[in-house]
Amino acid sequence: MKFTASILKKVATEMGANVVIEPEYELIGHITFKNGKITVFDNTRFNINGFGSANLAQDKAFSNYFLGKLGYRVTEGKTFFNDKMCAKVANPRNIHDGWNYAQELGFPVIVKPLNLSLGILVTKVYNKQEYYQVAEKILATQSVLIVERFYNGNDFRILVLDNEVIAAYQRIPLSVTGDAKSTILELLQNKREQLIKTGEKILIDVEDFRIIKKLNQQNLTFDSVLAEDTLIYLLDNANLSTGGDAVDFTDKIHPDFQKLAINITKDMGLRLAGVDILTADLTQPIVDYTLLEINSAPGLAHYALLGEKQIQQVEDLYRKILQALENE
């Protein structure tokens, strides 16, 4: 059974609730509590967040606008549209306008889809050729892309439920470490196989143009053999679902960042959220940060892979969510 569904079934059953999970994909479930109240879940989406707030959080451009108006330090960026969408919107900005804007911001820039999750097609772009390569890929399947300024910092996710930070962890991009005998391709394939064994959806694609680009920037190929203990990064974005690693900071997060994440969640009208922040050090008082985005349906399966302590934290979170839904 999928991780989220299995944890929810365990927790709900312990609460005396009746749980029915769709058996083919094991993603969607129906829960009837002891008091007769009913809730449903769709993977990591719960009825804990209001429909409007959850939809707003999913739209990176609109949520960025409102968060900026509320005084948070958001990324600087603009949306650009494919030809079909340009014909519909009042203020059309096409792929070429996006290139002009990227030049104004200065390279590198980040080019990404408006509302895809899991880090799909999020790319750090250095020149015109790379910009059009990724922009065309995005607009072939999505109607909107975002071009935004690149910001330095370590990538952290802070998980919030109501007035409490449940977990905080650093997300580190996909990497491999040399053993002086295996090629980079062999190291990557081995990492992919190990992650697949966990049963979670891992999107490591050895043909991903971003991986090939990252290798080229380091004067490497898939056939290169790395020296013992030499670590290289294969992607710029730090999503765990693309093979990135997590480092737990739950017990180290500074109260400043706890308060920041809780306030952001509240101001977006959410109760449950994953708040993604770039900053140098999450353990120290806030000096500077950049708010990347807010996620209203944060996945926790990859975080739970860190160990028993993290699994228990995820169980505790889902128990609190179900208790809140039962007692509403």
Side-chain angles (χ1 to χ4, degrees):
M1 186 178 292
K2 292 290 191 295
F3 174 82
T4 302
S6 65
I7 294 289
L8 285 167
K9 184 172 184 178
K10 176 186 175 184
V11 170
T13 301
E14 289 172 354
M15 294 170 59
N18 181 57
V19 186
V20 178
I21 295 173
E22 185 278 322
E24 185 173 3
Y25 300 104
E26 298 179 317
L27 292 172
I28 299 176
H30 181 285
I31 299 174
T32 305
F33 296 109
K34 284 192 300 183
N35 62 7
K37 289 188 177 180
I38 292 171
T39 192
V40 297
F41 64 88
D42 179 353
N43 196 10
T44 58
R45 295 178 179 86
F46 305 97
N47 291 333
I48 196 78
N49 287 325
F51 178 80
S53 293
N55 269 14
L56 175 58
Q58 189 175 1
D59 189 302
K60 297 178 179 68
F62 284 137
S63 61
N64 212 42
Y65 169 78
F66 287 108
L67 286 162
K69 283 291 185 182
L70 290 165
Y72 297 108
R73 304 172 196 173
V74 299
T75 55
E76 180 182 356
K78 283 185 180 180
T79 51
F80 301 89
F81 315 106
N82 63 14
D83 291 340
K84 187 175 180 180
M85 181 62 74
C86 279
K88 295 180 178 179
V89 297
N91 299 299
R93 297 186 293 273
N94 63 25
I95 189 172
H96 308 300
D97 296 319
W99 162 244
N100 293 332
Y101 181 67
Q103 290 178 285
E104 290 176 24
L105 290 179
F107 292 96
V109 296
I110 298 296
V111 181
K112 62 185 183 182
L114 174 68
N115 55 16
L116 287 182
S117 59
L118 307 177
I120 296 171
L121 290 175
V122 176
T123 309
K124 189 178 180 181
V125 164
Y126 288 85
N127 55 47
K128 185 175 184 178
Q129 179 183 354
E130 291 179 359
Y131 166 79
Y132 277 99
Q133 179 187 31
V134 66
E136 287 169 358
K137 285 180 181 292
I138 293 171
L139 294 182
T141 58
Q142 304 290 310
S143 57
V144 189
L145 63 79
I146 299 175
V147 178
E148 65 183 24
R149 186 180 298 280
F150 171 75
Y151 296 85
N152 287 304
N154 296 314
D155 187 319
F156 294 94
R157 168 161 287 182
I158 306 171
L159 184 70
V160 175
L161 177 63
D162 292 327
N163 293 310
E164 182 182 4
V165 168
I166 303 297
Y169 51 95
Q170 183 178 356
R171 303 184 298 178
I172 299 171
L174 173 65
S175 66
V176 292
T177 302
D179 60 7
K181 55 184 179 181
S182 304
T183 66
I184 290 174
L185 180 58
E186 289 170 339
L187 293 171
L188 183 59
Q189 288 174 331
N190 182 62
K191 184 164 192 173
R192 183 173 180 270
E193 288 168 8
Q194 293 301 313
L195 289 170
I196 288 174
K197 287 179 183 177
T198 66
E200 291 307 314
K201 187 176 182 180
I202 305 292
L203 303 175
I204 298 179
D205 178 4
V206 296
E207 296 182 359
D208 190 328
F209 74 99
R210 298 174 299 174
I211 294 177
I212 297 169
K213 179 170 80 74
K214 189 71 173 177
L215 285 171
N216 290 339
Q217 289 170 351
Q218 300 171 82
N219 296 316
L220 297 168
T221 70
F222 278 129
D223 294 325
S224 301
V225 176
L226 301 175
E228 187 86 25
D229 297 328
T230 298
L231 181 146
I232 64 162
Y233 293 104
L234 298 174
L235 286 174
D236 291 307
N237 61 299
N239 295 74
L240 303 188
S241 53
T242 53
D245 296 306
V247 179
D248 199 346
F249 275 77
T250 305
D251 297 331
K252 302 175 184 176
I253 180 173
H254 192 276
D256 283 2
F257 283 103
Q258 293 188 43
K259 183 178 180 181
L260 175 68
I262 290 168
N263 287 342
I264 289 169
T265 302
K266 283 182 177 178
D267 282 343
M268 286 295 284
L270 297 168
R271 296 181 64 186
L272 171 69
V275 181
D276 296 342
I277 285 174
L278 282 180
T279 190
D281 191 345
L282 200 71
T283 69
Q284 300 298 314
I286 293 178
V287 175
D288 195 18
Y289 74 89
T290 303
L291 175 57
L292 293 176
E293 60 183 69
I294 185 166
N295 191 320
S296 63
L300 292 169
H302 300 98
Y303 170 70
L305 293 176
L306 290 175
E308 290 300 321
K309 178 182 177 182
Q310 288 75 21
I311 291 173
Q312 189 59 54
Q313 286 174 298
V314 175
E315 282 191 21
D316 291 344
L317 168 66
Y318 287 157
R319 185 174 291 104
K320 288 176 180 177
I321 290 173
L322 293 184
Q323 288 170 342
L325 291 169
E326 181 181 26
N327 295 321
E328 278 186 341

